[in-house]
Amino acid sequence: MPNRPLVGVIACRREVEGHPAHVVTDKYLSALRSYGLAPVVLPVWQDALDGDLLAHLDGLLLTGSYSNVDPARYGAKRARENTRDDLHRDAAALAWIPAAIRQGLPLLGICRGFQELNVAYGGTLHQAVQNVPGLADHREPEADYATRYAPAHDIEVCAGGRLAALYVEPHATVNSLHQQGIDRLGDGLKVEATAPDGLIEAISVVAAPAFALAVQWHPEWRTQEHPLYHALFEGFAAACRAHFFDRAVAESLSI
């Protein structure tokens, strides 16, 4: 057994110096490490589901990305604003999500990962939120990192939910760096927070036996400076530690 809980972190498949590469930006890995977790980058081949690998993990993190879920995955035509795909990641994420939930593996989804969770449960997405009547423009500003990741709008945390169990305040301010968002909520999912315009900002898996939350914002940026972001990562880390302990006990009994 390792000394720290192992958390699988989904990669994005991109071209780097002319070669296909599996990429995760440092902010996700550093955030997990700062909470006592050991991140493991998961490559995204289209046949990437590996039950043996999942059996050795204590958590799964679905990161944000500049790419979008292929709209064919939820029965929609492509909008002209939707220009970046990652079909390998689509295949991997939509296979891993139900497998992880079945195994009781703690799961945290961020931005694209939030949208992947909704699609995995049969939900649909707005491909250009800024064009939807009644919804605000949630895209990131063209600015430096500190400005782009600064809190941009309020959210209301739904009373009695899983997010509310981690964060007791009914409101918080979060950053906003996304063009897409949830249109129809997937079956078996619950709304955990909303933006002032009504757009869903956090969801959970109702029947999941372990931690299974996803958020539209980016809590991995300067996590410990923001009480809500800290509460979310601490809750995920606690669930991963519990899974790690249970896995260690099970392995010792099998010897």
Side-chain angles (χ1 to χ4, degrees), residues 9-247:
V9 183
I10 193 169
C12 294
R13 187 176 167 101
R14 296 178 184 165
E15 186 173 293
V16 176
E17 297 179 345
H19 299 277
H22 300 264
V23 178
V24 176
T25 52
D26 179 75
K27 58 182 178 165
Y28 299 103
L29 306 178
S30 295
L32 293 172
R33 186 182 182 198
S34 72
Y35 284 87
L37 305 172
V40 178
V41 177
L42 300 177
V44 287
W45 295 294
Q46 294 207 30
D47 58 350
L49 182 60
D50 186 332
D52 290 338
L53 176 59
L54 287 178
H56 289 87
L57 297 178
D58 300 297
L60 177 63
L61 178 68
L62 304 170
T63 69
S65 175
Y66 281 107
S67 68
N68 300 308
V69 178
D70 182 358
R73 290 280 186 175
Y74 49 92
K77 294 182 178 179
R78 182 177 302 276
R80 59 183 175 83
E81 294 86 356
N82 189 355
T83 59
R84 297 187 67 171
D85 285 323
D86 188 340
L87 302 183
H88 286 80
R89 173 161 170 167
D90 289 349
L94 297 178
W96 290 342
I97 288 169
I101 297 297
R102 285 194 303 269
Q103 272 184 217
L105 200 65
L107 181 150
L108 175 60
I110 294 173
C111 199
R112 190 194 210 268
F114 164 88
Q115 295 162 12
E116 287 167 340
L117 184 62
N118 189 57
V119 173
Y121 278 81
T124 64
L125 302 175
H126 294 299
Q127 296 179 58
V129 168
Q130 69 274 12
N131 294 340
V132 179
L135 296 182
D137 189 341
H138 288 255
R139 292 175 294 179
E140 63 185 276
E142 293 185 5
D144 59 29
Y145 258 74
T147 302
R148 287 159 57 194
Y149 282 84
H153 64 73
D154 184 64
I155 61 165
E156 181 177 354
V157 178
C158 299
R162 295 192 180 190
L163 184 58
L166 302 174
Y167 181 77
V168 298
E169 298 296 328
H171 293 272
T173 53
V174 299
N175 53 42
S176 189
L177 298 95
H178 61 102
Q179 175 173 259
Q180 303 208 332
I182 288 179
D183 179 8
R184 187 183 71 248
L185 185 66
D187 297 334
L189 301 179
K190 179 182 178 181
V191 176
E192 296 283 345
T194 57
D197 59 3
L199 191 66
I200 298 171
E201 289 280 338
I203 55 176
S204 64
V205 181
V206 174
F211 185 106
L213 274 170
V215 299
Q216 182 62 85
W217 68 89
H218 283 264
E220 79 285 355
W221 176 252
R222 296 181 176 174
T223 298
Q224 299 192 27
E225 297 178 14
H226 192 299
L228 174 60
Y229 302 178
H230 171 69
L232 187 63
F233 266 87
E234 182 53 48
F236 179 59
C240 294
R241 288 191 292 269
H243 190 278
F244 174 77
F245 176 78
D246 290 344
R247 187 162 63 87

